[in-house]
Amino acid sequence: MTVFDEALGRRGAVVPCRDCTEDDGIAWHRDEERRLTARITELPAEGRATLAALTAARLQPYFLRFHAETGRGDPRVLGRALADVWRKLNDGTSVTLPVMLAVFDQLQIAAGAPGALAGLAWYSAASVTNACHAAVHGEVREPLHCLRYGREAALTMSWHATGGTPSACRHDTLLQEELRLQSADLDLVASS
């Protein structure tokens, strides 16, 4: 097991760099969550589902790569589920329970797989699961979780790119790009 694999075993754990003390890093993440929660709360239910779907679409390549390299999972399930979310947003067609359960099965496949890529696939499948829930329920927590998975995937990619050195933090280039994309998505959805 590599250091990268160990880091993925602690999904959600952020490894701070030397410039970020543990307390400072945790405070920054809490502040970011509060800021995002406030913005998402202002969105209508359709906007929340749109934001979740945009983030899930951005994370889908991780699951595609996971499937291509391991033969595990079925990325078509995630694609069909996202298509259902977009249909729901466009014409009100329901996202059905069997679709949501099929996506959850893909989440479990990624969770049970070994290796670094499985963690990224997990973020991908989890974001699609939350996009489906956001389309059905329109609550704040689902798109917030999708955005969190996007940030965690960026940190994971950074961790991998640095060879497992503890430099992944809020200053990381990949994380900053993900934050920029999330902000742009939020602005787009809010202005629609």
Side-chain angles (χ1 to χ4, degrees):
M1 180 177 284
T2 67
V3 173
F4 183 46
D5 292 332
E6 289 176 329
L8 286 175
R10 299 187 317 259
R11 287 186 183 100
V14 176
V15 180
C17 73
R18 292 182 180 149
D19 295 334
C20 298
T21 65
E22 187 174 330
D23 291 341
D24 182 42
I26 291 170
W28 179 82
H29 285 285
R30 284 186 188 135
D31 290 346
E32 183 68 11
E33 291 279 318
R34 282 188 199 105
R35 185 186 70 77
L36 290 170
T37 301
R39 289 199 64 193
I40 294 168
T41 300
E42 295 172 358
L43 297 174
E46 295 81 16
R48 294 172 186 162
T50 300
L51 180 62
L54 287 169
T55 305
R58 192 167 47 252
L59 298 178
Q60 228 181 350
Y62 296 128
F63 201 91
L64 292 169
R65 183 173 167 205
F66 168 72
H67 173 72
E69 291 187 18
T70 68
R72 294 179 184 210
D74 186 352
R76 295 173 298 182
V77 171
L78 301 184
R80 283 192 297 268
L82 273 179
D84 281 1
V85 169
W86 291 118
R87 264 193 300 284
K88 165 86 169 143
L89 292 166
N90 288 328
D91 64 21
T93 304
S94 295
V95 176
T96 65
L97 183 58
V99 166
M100 292 174 27
L101 290 174
V103 174
F104 188 74
D105 288 343
Q106 300 306 303
L107 177 78
Q108 296 304 313
I109 289 168
L117 191 53
L120 292 167
W122 185 91
Y123 290 131
S124 176
S127 67
V128 174
T129 300
N130 277 276
C132 290
H133 283 274
V136 172
H137 304 293
E139 294 180 9
V140 171
R141 72 176 173 237
E142 285 92 3
L144 184 62
H145 286 167
C146 288
L147 294 175
R148 185 180 302 144
Y149 299 145
R151 294 190 312 274
E152 294 297 332
L155 286 170
T156 299
M157 288 300 295
S158 175
W159 178 265
H160 181 64
T162 62
T165 59
S167 64
C169 72
R170 69 175 182 259
H171 304 294
D172 180 76
T173 306
L174 293 174
L175 177 59
Q176 289 303 311
E177 178 61 12
E178 178 62 24
L179 290 171
R180 187 191 67 73
L181 292 169
Q182 289 182 6
S183 182
D185 288 347
L186 268 163
D187 291 343
L188 176 70
V189 171
S191 68
S192 299

